[in-house]
Amino acid sequence: MPLEDVYRYVDANQQMFVDDLVRLVKQPSVSARGEGIIECARIVEEMMRNVGFSTFTIPVAQGNPVVYGEIKSKSSQKTLLFYNHYDVQPPEPLEEWTYDPYSGEIRNGKIYGRGVSDNKGNIVSRLKAIQALLETTADVPVNIKFVAEGEEEIGSPHLAPVVQKHKKLFSADAAIWEFGGTDREGRPIIYLGLKGVLSVELRAKAAARDVHSANAPLVPNPAWRLVWALNSIKNEKDEILIDGFQDNVESPLDEEMEYVQKIPFEEEEEKQDLGLSEFLHSVSGLEALKALLYRPTCTINGFLAGYTDKGSKTVLPRKAMVKLDFRLVPRQEADNILKKLKEHLKHHSFNDIEVIEHGSTEPVKTPIDNSFVQTVIKTAKRVYDKQPVVYPTSAGSGPMHLFRNWLGYPVVSVGCAHPESHGHAPNENLTVEGFVKGTKFIAAILYDFGVS
Ligand SMILES: [Zn+2]
């Protein structure tokens, strides 16, 4: 079987692959601040070229470029697209990192650095899987399209028009999404969907300037205005009170619940990792898992008003701001929820509060019985020699709807992270072992998709 040669190639070249990953991690690429973006896009494109991709960069007006590449198969008409992102989250707080976030330090079999698990490890592992196939079989099992965007971590604000404009470039028979990994038992995890997300900012203003808090009987306080508005949006039971918010919400399908029940939800480990004695409202077991995957949410991401430094200051602030995100589930639509939020505020006499949208993505799912999904499940079982854990959907979000809903092909998310990879957090890391296994997994998916 040609895959054995491919695996041998991966093992023999492991150090070189790790070196490439370290090189990519050492290049900052913080989309939130526009740091190192162009340099990082250039390295990704160069790495794709070195593998054998024909590449080009799609410029994005007022945004970060999308790196695009293709390799044609000599033996197959099918096309598999990989969606990745080369941007990373800001590394702060820096003092909580054991090693410099851009060092790519390797200790005890773990590679450390911002972006190593999200999403640079997957970028490199996919490219190396393709390289291994090319080097050992002089072909790729299917046509390959490789997309690396630079704004995923800020909500992919410019990807929709790019996909719209280049529908042909992004067409495929199936896609592999950017994230995934193994659980604590080493079982591969397969995700088939995402929640949508709507990010907004609410702003309240009152007096023309900050004033002495002695004026509180006369001058409205914008911080209180926001607190009251927030109070009208969600109650202490976590019920979202916006009129029509729950309309159309799809409950989990029976065939999905069959898989959800089999998910080994490691809730004690989760709680321990988070330093919690129990989850919100004491939910546990299947109830907690169902809430995580299928419940829409409203989260306060940040709240800013007045004096927050040392000691006290008797001030009445002139403005206040809160950032919120709504995670959405199938049949909810971001635009519609935004409209309902604005109506809600108006209806509750919060006309003075300004609503600013900061981007959105739609909820998305690929059905479990799809043949590509079934291929990936079988491949995972063989490569890891363990029953994979299938999530019919996941709690995260991303621009998957552009590919699944607009272009209409199945999208499956797998990757090489592990439960303590600390994505978005200090000490982000990836195990060398997970990286190497993930590389073999991708090669096997390509091979099995080719022959399926
Ligand atoms: Zn991320």
Side-chain angles (χ1 to χ4, degrees), residues 177-216:
W177 202 248
E178 51 127 351
F179 69 89
T182 49
D183 70 1
R184 284 179 178 82
E185 307 290 325
R187 287 172 287 223
I189 307 172
I190 297 170
Y191 298 98
L192 303 179
L194 296 174
K195 282 184 181 173
V197 66
L198 166 67
S199 296
V200 295
E201 184 177 318
L202 306 186
R203 283 188 200 166
K205 279 185 200 141
R209 55 179 174 79
D210 282 4
V211 294
H212 195 297
S213 72
N215 293 298

Side-chain angles (χ1 to χ4, degrees), residues 85 89 118 152-153 424:
H85 61 90
Q89 288 279 330
D118 177 14
E152 195 273 347
E153 299 293 10
H424 293 206

Side-chain angles (χ1 to χ4, degrees), residues 289-340:
L289 189 57
K290 257 175 84 176
L292 183 66
L293 299 178
Y294 291 98
R295 223 184 60 203
T297 58
C298 170
T299 301
I300 297 176
N301 308 130
F303 199 127
L304 195 67
Y307 181 77
T308 55
D309 219 328
K310 259 193 231 156
S312 70
K313 180 183 180 187
T314 45
V315 67
L316 194 165
R318 74 179 176 90
K319 60 178 183 177
M321 177 267 270
V322 65
K323 288 190 190 265
L324 299 176
D325 76 46
F326 293 89
R327 297 272 169 177
L328 309 175
V329 300
R331 304 275 168 87
Q332 287 183 310
E333 286 169 8
D335 279 354
N336 183 264
I337 296 297
L338 179 64
K339 202 175 119 223
K340 285 175 174 161

Side-chain angles (χ1 to χ4, degrees), residues 52-218:
F53 277 91
S54 53
T55 66
F56 56 90
T57 296
I58 305 172
V60 175
Q62 267 117 43
N64 301 337
V66 175
V67 185
Y68 180 90
E70 284 187 12
I71 297 182
K72 289 257 180 284
S73 168
K74 297 174 197 160
S75 51
S76 173
Q77 298 294 316
K78 284 188 216 168
T79 301
L80 185 68
L81 180 142
F82 288 94
Y83 165 86
N84 306 276
H85 61 90
Y86 62 82
D87 63 323
V88 301
Q89 288 279 330
E92 283 77 9
L94 296 177
E95 65 278 10
E96 287 183 24
W97 284 80
T98 310
Y99 313 107
D100 181 291
Y102 299 115
S103 64
E105 187 81 29
I106 303 175
R107 290 288 165 96
N108 301 323
K110 285 180 179 168
I111 314 162
Y112 287 86
R114 170 52 84 229
V116 70
S117 79
D118 177 14
N119 172 240
K120 291 176 171 175
N122 285 327
I123 290 183
V124 178
S125 102
R126 288 156 188 202
L127 293 179
K128 296 305 171 187
I130 296 160
Q131 177 180 328
L133 282 160
L134 279 169
E135 292 293 326
T136 53
T137 68
D139 193 13
V140 279
V142 293
N143 300 311
I144 297 169
K145 294 182 172 182
F146 202 91
V147 177
E149 71 145 316
E151 300 187 330
E152 195 273 347
E153 299 293 10
I154 51 169
S156 305
H158 302 102
L159 192 62
V162 171
V163 173
Q164 185 104 54
K165 192 172 161 195
H166 302 278
K167 272 193 175 157
K168 248 203 170 135
L169 279 186
F170 292 90
S171 69
D173 297 299
I176 294 289
W177 202 248
E178 51 127 351
F179 69 89
T182 49
D183 70 1
R184 284 179 178 82
E185 307 290 325
R187 287 172 287 223
I189 307 172
I190 297 170
Y191 298 98
L192 303 179
L194 296 174
K195 282 184 181 173
V197 66
L198 166 67
S199 296
V200 295
E201 184 177 318
L202 306 186
R203 283 188 200 166
K205 279 185 200 141
R209 55 179 174 79
D210 282 4
V211 294
H212 195 297
S213 72
N215 293 298
L218 305 179

